[in-house]
């Protein structure tokens, strides 16, 4: 579909974006119409993105003072929440009085959260003005700037102290709390932490956390591995996926009805568990750039459009696409099954890139959906024949059938940071991920083709979130600003697709260098980084660089 200039102006101007919050009006209904859906899904849209705004640039009052680790749009698309290392939450709203640009998002509120260490995630709870945050201080906090008439919506920047906006503090976790996932309620949500637990928080049921956590409700699950990511789709809210210090991601079913689990998953529920692990998601072999024993999943995301597709971003490897509907081991031709890591990763710099192979391996438009076209998803002579499971005991509650991936997305570099991964497009037609080179990558989900590369940060891109109604992306990373990307008919200065081959080669070289260092004895710098990460896990107030989330 060729995008006309008129259609372009309608899809990128501020007036259309502003209409999202007046979604009940007839003139905004086109955003949910089939023509609009087709337009927003067109590759012509997603290959014409350009950086159209930098939130906080040249404005010390509204900008963050550290890495921006969290972004989240409100359901109606009128508010963007950002949070990060400065332990503040910023609210960005559409400024209807500003006609100077197409996307005039203005910081209207800053919340001083009271967290004593980096905020890793922040979410607006569904159907409310509440914002939940989680941080390296092991706490989960909930805020509401509308409590007691605090929010004035005057367009002026308002600042709120902890005691003004915060109304709940949870100290249930024993480790750094990494991610929040919201459910279809303003009252409850899930959190995952490095203590290996997932907890459900219900704002309707008060409880007071004690130092021993013996007054806190039992967690939904407790695994013997560090967890760093959680994913859930509103279409299948009874299922959620967790992953972390393991080569597997784990799918849990909360329905706990023996008949249903046996019929749907072929497994029996354990009577002593609140939820049951019904599937594992893994790979056939370890990537050439990975080191045995430190396999790690940094990000996960379930499709909001179909409820069964799952993305996993592997440190030292690539981004993979799975489906909860695929039969377990149906695509497996490899006898190598990886087990949860027996030891904790010591040196974060030992992680590898998510690209291993020749540039020629990157899919093109002519590639089919057949997974066999990707040599890294088949047996390889370059992969160790040794079975890593030999001599290791997988916990009984995690011994569920293994599902293997549908597609692998190559080109980005995932060495230094904990990167999220995401679907974009009105029907989740595309896959996006950040990279250690300051770029973010866009792939066609079906074919795996690399569609575009954009400069999104001065150092590393970690987070990419799409506007709920428009082809607009918010991007953040190590910089203290938030970048907004949208389609444009003018010149494109942020795209790096012309340097595609050089970028991929550079990412591969970075990976190989990291891999080489990881195989050497731990040097003084590595010991120092391990020391700082250990302090952070132990709850020390000393700040740690967001690079090592």
């Amino acid at each position: 579909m060729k995008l006309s200039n008129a259609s372009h102006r309608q899809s990128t101007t501020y007036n259309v974006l502003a209409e999202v919050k007046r979604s009940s009006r007839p003139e905004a209904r086109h955003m949910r119409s089939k023509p609009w859906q087709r337009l927003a899904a067109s590759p012509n849209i997603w290959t014409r993105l350009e950086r159209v705004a930098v939130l906080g640039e040249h404005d010390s009052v509204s900008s963050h003072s550290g890495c921006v680790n969290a972004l989240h749009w409100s359901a109606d698309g009128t508010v963007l929440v950002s949070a990060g290392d400065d332990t503040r939450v910023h609210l960005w709203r559409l400024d209807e009085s500003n006609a100077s640009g197409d996307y005039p998002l203005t910081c209207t509120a800053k919340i001083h959260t009271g967290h004593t260490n980096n905020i890793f995630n922040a979410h607006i709870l569904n159907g409310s003005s509440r914002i939940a945050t989680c941080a390296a201080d092991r706490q989960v906090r909930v805020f509401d700037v509308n409590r007691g008439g605090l929010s004035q919506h005057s367009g002026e920047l308002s600042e709120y102290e902890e005691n003004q906006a915060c109304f709940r503090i949870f100290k249930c976790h024993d480790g750094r709390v990494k991610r929040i996932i919201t459910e279809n309620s303003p009252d409850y949500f899930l959190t995952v932490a490095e203590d290996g637990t997932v907890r459900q928080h219900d704002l309707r049921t008060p409880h007071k956390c004690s130092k021993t956590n013996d007054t806190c409700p039992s967690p939904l699950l407790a695994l013997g591995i560090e967890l760093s990511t959680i994913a859930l789709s509103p279409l299948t809210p009874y299922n959620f996926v967790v992953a972390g210090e393991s080569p597997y991601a784990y799918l849990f079913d909360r329905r706990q009805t023996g008949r249903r689990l046996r019929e749907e998953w072929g497994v029996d529920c354990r009577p002593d568990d609140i939820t049951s692990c019904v599937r594992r998601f893994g790979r056939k072999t370890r990537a050439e750039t990975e080191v045995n024993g430190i396999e790690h999943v940094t990000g996960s995301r379930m499709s909001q459009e179909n409820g069964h597709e799952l993305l996993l971003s592997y440190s030292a490897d690539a981004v993979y696409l799975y489906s909860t509907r695929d039969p377990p081991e149906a695509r497996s031709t490899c006898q190598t099954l990886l087990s949860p890591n027996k030891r904790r990763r010591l040196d974060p710099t030992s992680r590898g890139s998510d690209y291993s192979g020749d540039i020629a391996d990157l899919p093109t438009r002519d590639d089919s959906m057949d997974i066999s076209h990707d040599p890294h998803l088949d047996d390889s002579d370059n992969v160790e024949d040794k079975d890593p499971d030999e001599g290791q005991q997988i916990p009984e509650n995690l011994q569920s059938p293994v599902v293997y991936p549908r597609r692998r997305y190559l080109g980005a570099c995932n060495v230094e940071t904990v990167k999220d991964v995401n679907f974009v497009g009105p029907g989740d037609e595309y896959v996006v991920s950040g990279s250690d080179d300051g770029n973010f990558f866009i792939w066609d989900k079906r074919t795996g083709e690399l569609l575009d590369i954009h400069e999104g940060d001065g150092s590393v891109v970690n987070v990419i979130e799409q506007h709920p109604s428009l082809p607009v992306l918010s991007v953040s990373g190590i910089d203290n600003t938030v970048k907004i990307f949208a389609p444009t008919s003018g010149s494109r200065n942020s795209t790096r697709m012309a340097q595609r081959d050089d970028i991929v080669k550079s990412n591969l070289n970075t990976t190989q260098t990291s891999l080489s260092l990881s195989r050497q004895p731990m040097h003084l710098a590595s010991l120092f980084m391990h020391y700082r990460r250990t302090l952070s896990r132990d709850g020390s107030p000393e700040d740690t660089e967001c690079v090592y989330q």
Side-chain angles (χ1 to χ4, degrees), residues 365-499:
R365 290 187 187 273
D366 296 330
D367 288 334
S368 72
M369 192 57 189
D370 186 356
I371 202 168
S372 63
H373 281 75
D374 188 341
H376 298 282
L377 294 173
D378 295 323
D379 292 326
S380 171
D381 294 337
N382 295 324
V383 180
E384 299 177 15
D385 294 329
K386 175 183 173 183
D387 183 358
D389 279 350
E390 184 177 355
Q392 298 192 21
Q393 189 69 31
I394 300 177
E396 182 181 353
N397 63 332
L398 298 181
Q399 292 181 6
S400 54
V402 181
V403 174
Y404 290 98
R406 291 181 166 188
R407 174 61 62 189
R408 188 175 190 238
Y409 306 97
L410 303 167
C413 181
N414 188 4
V415 175
E416 296 184 359
T417 61
V418 175
K419 296 176 185 63
D420 283 334
V421 64
N422 211 341
F423 294 98
V424 297
D428 289 348
E429 297 90 351
Y430 306 97
V431 174
V432 293
S433 174
S435 180
D436 290 338
D437 55 5
N439 297 314
F440 69 92
F441 291 64
I442 304 176
W443 297 273
D444 185 292
K445 181 183 70 176
R446 186 183 66 84
T447 65
E449 178 195 0
L450 180 57
L451 296 178
D452 215 342
I453 304 172
H454 284 275
E455 181 183 0
D457 192 87
S459 300
V460 178
V461 172
N462 289 328
V463 184
I464 306 165
E465 292 291 336
Q466 184 189 348
H467 186 280
S469 303
L470 296 170
V472 175
L473 301 180
S474 56
V475 178
S476 69
I478 305 304
D479 292 348
N480 63 351
T481 57
V482 178
K483 284 77 173 180
I484 304 297
F485 288 79
T488 178
S489 60
S491 60
R492 298 201 306 146
N493 298 318
S494 70
T495 183
R496 296 294 179 265
M497 200 59 179
Q499 295 84 41

Side-chain angles (χ1 to χ4, degrees), residues 138 171-174 195 199 207-217 219:
R138 306 179 181 181
K171 302 178 182 180
C172 308
H173 285 288
D174 290 327
D195 60 7
R199 291 183 177 272
H207 81 273
K208 186 175 182 180
C209 300
S210 65
K211 292 184 178 180
T212 59
N213 291 343
D214 55 3
T215 61
C216 298

Side-chain angles (χ1 to χ4, degrees), residues 103-120:
Y103 300 90
L105 288 163
T106 302
C107 184
T108 60
K110 293 197 299 186
I111 303 173
H112 298 272
T113 64
H115 281 294
T116 58
N117 214 321
N118 305 354
I119 295 177
F120 290 142

Side-chain angles (χ1 to χ4, degrees), residues 234-308:
L235 300 181
T236 53
Y238 43 83
N239 292 336
F240 64 89
V241 173
V242 295
E245 296 283 345
S246 170
Y248 292 115
Y250 302 92
L251 173 67
F252 287 84
D253 193 315
R254 288 191 278 178
R255 291 174 292 186
Q256 272 310 86
T257 304
R259 181 186 59 80
R260 183 182 296 273
L261 291 185
R262 282 193 299 273
E263 289 181 357
E264 184 169 342
W265 303 109
V267 300
D268 291 321
C269 63
R270 292 161 54 89
D272 296 333
D273 292 340
I274 300 176
T275 184
S276 296
C277 180
V278 294
R279 289 290 185 270
R280 285 179 290 165
F281 300 98
R283 301 159 298 165
K284 298 176 180 179
T285 60
R286 191 178 297 110
E288 298 174 7
T289 48
E290 285 183 286
V291 178
N292 186 10
I294 61 170
E295 300 88 357
H296 180 71
V297 177
T298 67
S300 64
R301 191 67 60 108
M302 290 195 75
S303 172
Q304 306 297 291
E305 294 297 320
N306 58 49
H308 69 90

Side-chain angles (χ1 to χ4, degrees), residues 328-339:
E329 302 191 37
R331 300 176 185 270
S332 175
T333 60
C334 177
Q335 296 179 353
T336 302
L337 297 179
L338 307 179
S339 63

